[in-house]
Amino acid sequence: MDKRSKIALYVISAVILLMMIAEVTKPKPLNWRDSYSAADKIPLGCYVLFNELKTFSDGDVLENTESIFLYLNNKEISDKKQSLFIINGYVGLTEQDADALMDFVDDGNSVFLSSKTLYGNLADTLNLNIKMDYSGLLKEPANNEFTSPSQEESNRLFEDVIENAYITSVDTLNTTILGTMSIEDEDESHPNFIKTKFGENGGAFYIHTNPYAFTNYHILNGNEDYTATVLSYLPKQQIIWDNYYKSGRKIITSPLRYILASPALKWAFYISMFSLILFVIFKGKRTQRIIPVVEKLENTTVEFTQTIGELYYQHGDFTNIISKKIQYFLEFVRTKYFLDTNNLNASFIEKLALKSANTKEDSKAIVDYLLYLKSKTFHTETELVELNKKIETFTKNNF
C-alpha cells in the first residue's frame, strides 16, 4: 500500500469515527409516542404513576403481562380484594377478556379503566358510550373537574397534550358521576369519570376518559393533584397494574431486534460488524496465499545424447558418430570463438590457435585430423576413439 492510499484510509477512518462519536453524543429527540407503559420515562409513559401506586395499594403492586383472560384464570383464588388498573389510549378487549373482567368485579374486586374509547361486550353490559371531540384540528384546552365541591382545589385545566373524550350514556341506576370535562370558554360539561357498581359483592368499574392525565408529562407538570384525587376514589386494595394492553408494550421477536432495541447493545453490534469488515479487508490483503513449490525441470540433454550415442555405438555405426562429433566440435568453435568453419584452411588454424588456449601445432593437428576423417566414407572404432581424445585434449582448457 502506497503512502497516498494510507493517508486516504486514515482520513476515511477518522471521518467514520467522528460520525460515530457525533451519533452517540448527540441529544436524543424527545419521544412523544403514546406508551402508557410502566417502564417508559418518556412524556407519555407511566413510569412515575407506577412507582407512586404503592401509596394507594394495600400491599405490593402486582404486574400483569398477559391477556386479562389468561391472567385472571391463572390467578390464585384469594379472599383479598384487589383493584386492576388498565390505562391506555385504546383498550381492545376480546369477548373472553370482557367476561373474565366482569367475573373479577362480580367477586367484589374493582377495575379502574382509563381510555379514550371503549367498545364491545363490556361497554354494552355497562350501557356505556364514549365519544371523542373532533370539533377542530387542534385539541381545545379542557377543564377536568370533580363533582364533589370538596375536591374543587384538584380541578385542572389541561391545556396541551390531550384528546378530549367524554361519556355520553351510562347506566343511571348503578352509576355515579365523579368528574366532568368541559371545553374552555364553553358552559356545557360532560361526564369523564364515573363509578359503576357491578354484582352483589361490592365490586365496581371506575371509568375515566382522559388517560393522558396519568402520564409522566402531566404528573410532572403541575397536574399531580388531579391524578391523586382520581385515585383517592378507589378503595384501598391491592393494585394489579396491567402492562399488557399498552401502546408501548415492547415485543421482542428476534435476538437481533432485542440487540437493536438497546442503545448500548446496538452500538456494540455496529462496532463489532465494522471491525469485522476491516479485519477481512486488511487480512485478505496482507496474507498471501501459499505458493506451491514447482520443481525445477531437469536438463536431460546429456542423458539423451548419451542414449543416442550408445544406440549408434551398439549398432557399430562409427561413421555416423564421428560425423556427429565433428559437427558438435565445429559448432563449439563457432559459438565459442566466433569463427567461420566453412573453410578449414591455414588462416582458420591461425585464428583458432590465437583465440583458444592451444598452440598452433595442436590446432593444426586436430584440424588436419578432422579433414582426414571427413575425406573418408568408412570409419573404424579406433578412429572414433582417437577423435574423442583429440577433442577432449583441445577443449579441456576452455571449460
Side-chain angles (χ1 to χ4, degrees):
M1 185 181 293
D2 57 11
K3 185 176 181 181
R4 181 176 297 179
S5 300
K6 288 182 178 179
I7 294 175
L9 180 61
Y10 293 151
V11 171
I12 294 174
S13 301
V15 171
I16 294 175
L17 181 60
L18 291 175
M19 291 176 62
M20 293 176 63
I21 294 174
E23 182 68 22
V24 172
T25 57
K26 73 176 183 180
K28 295 182 180 180
L30 198 58
N31 184 358
W32 287 96
R33 175 178 57 91
D34 288 9
S35 169
Y36 304 101
S37 173
D40 280 339
K41 299 180 181 180
I42 60 177
L44 298 184
C46 286
Y47 177 82
V48 176
L49 174 64
F50 179 77
N51 286 274
E52 293 297 328
L53 281 181
K54 58 186 178 182
T55 306
F56 302 90
S57 177
D58 182 14
D60 295 334
V61 177
L62 305 180
E63 186 175 356
N64 168 45
T65 57
E66 56 186 356
S67 69
I68 294 296
F69 174 76
L70 293 177
Y71 178 78
L72 294 180
N73 279 276
N74 295 330
K75 188 172 70 68
E76 296 182 0
I77 299 177
S78 174
D79 295 334
K80 190 175 184 179
K81 302 303 181 182
Q82 295 175 316
S83 296
L84 176 62
F85 273 56
I86 305 176
I87 302 174
N88 198 46
Y90 167 77
V91 178
L93 298 175
T94 65
E95 184 175 348
Q96 292 80 6
D97 292 335
D99 291 341
L101 203 60
M102 288 186 285
D103 290 340
F104 176 72
V105 177
D106 191 44
D107 290 336
N109 300 294
S110 301
V111 170
F112 176 76
L113 192 153
S114 182
S115 174
K116 296 178 290 185
T117 58
L118 184 65
Y119 301 100
N121 191 28
L122 179 61
D124 294 339
T125 302
L126 299 180
N127 192 23
L128 184 67
N129 184 42
I130 298 176
K131 182 179 179 180
M132 289 286 297
D133 177 26
Y134 297 108
S135 59
L137 294 177
L138 299 178
K139 303 303 178 182
E140 297 290 337
N143 288 300
N144 283 243
E145 301 174 342
F146 297 99
T147 54
S148 173
S150 62
Q151 305 293 351
E152 184 176 353
E153 293 182 358
S154 298
N155 297 340
R156 286 294 183 274
L157 172 66
F158 288 84
E159 298 181 301
D160 54 7
V161 191
I162 188 173
E163 290 189 14
N164 298 316
Y166 52 88
I167 300 170
T168 58
S169 67
V170 295
D171 181 359
T172 56
L173 293 177
N174 298 303
T175 299
T176 302
I177 298 175
L178 303 177
T180 62
M181 64 79 61
S182 61
I183 304 299
E184 188 180 22
D185 299 330
E186 293 184 7
D187 296 333
E188 186 179 7
S189 63
H190 306 279
N192 74 335
F193 180 32
I194 63 173
K195 173 186 177 182
T196 300
K197 297 178 181 179
F198 191 86
E200 303 297 329
N201 298 309
F205 284 95
Y206 294 84
I207 309 298
H208 191 277
T209 62
N210 182 13
Y212 289 101
F214 306 98
T215 60
N216 301 326
Y217 178 83
H218 285 296
I219 293 178
L220 297 177
N221 282 276
N223 295 327
E224 65 278 4
D225 288 346
Y226 176 84
T227 304
T229 303
V230 170
L231 299 181
S232 68
Y233 279 94
L234 276 67
K236 183 78 171 184
Q237 299 175 162
Q238 184 177 41
I239 291 176
I240 303 172
W241 174 268
D242 172 71
N243 213 30
Y244 180 82
Y245 298 94
K246 291 288 185 287
S247 302
R249 178 163 59 98
K250 293 179 173 58
I251 302 176
I252 304 300
T253 58
S254 68
L256 183 59
R257 183 184 293 273
Y258 177 79
I259 291 173
L260 297 180
S262 171
L265 292 177
K266 178 178 70 174
W267 278 107
F269 175 75
Y270 287 158
I271 293 173
S272 299
M273 293 301 297
F274 178 71
S275 302
L276 182 60
I277 293 172
L278 287 181
F279 174 79
V280 171
I281 294 174
F282 288 99
K283 190 69 175 177
K285 287 186 176 181
R286 297 177 68 89
T287 303
Q288 187 176 7
R289 291 180 298 175
I290 298 176
I291 300 175
V293 178
V294 179
E295 298 292 340
K296 182 180 179 181
L297 296 176
E298 297 182 2
N299 187 356
T300 59
T301 304
V302 176
E303 289 79 1
F304 176 75
T305 304
Q306 184 178 358
T307 302
I308 297 298
E310 290 177 353
L311 182 63
Y312 283 131
Y313 188 79
Q314 289 175 2
H315 287 78
D317 192 359
F318 304 115
T319 300
N320 201 348
I321 297 175
I322 289 175
S323 175
K324 295 293 190 298
K325 290 188 73 67
I326 292 174
Q327 291 179 11
Y328 176 76
F329 176 73
L330 294 178
E331 176 64 23
F332 168 75
V333 171
R334 286 193 294 271
T335 57
K336 182 69 175 181
Y337 306 122
F338 304 102
L339 296 176
D340 185 5
T341 59
N342 290 326
N343 296 314
L344 303 180
N345 50 25
S347 175
F348 172 78
I349 294 172
E350 289 181 0
K351 293 179 181 178
L352 181 60
L354 183 64
K355 289 190 175 185
S356 69
N358 297 279
T359 64
K360 185 176 181 180
E361 289 75 12
D362 294 336
S363 300
K364 185 177 185 304
I366 191 172
V367 171
D368 290 344
Y369 194 68
L370 293 178
L371 292 174
Y372 166 72
L373 293 176
K374 291 179 70 174
S375 65
K376 296 180 64 176
T377 57
F378 178 78
H379 301 86
T380 64
E381 181 180 356
T382 304
E383 291 173 335
L384 175 59
V385 173
E386 182 64 23
L387 175 62
N388 189 64
K389 289 181 179 180
K390 288 183 178 296
I391 291 175
E392 288 183 351
T393 302
F394 186 84
T395 59
K396 67 180 180 180
N397 296 325
N398 296 279
F399 293 99

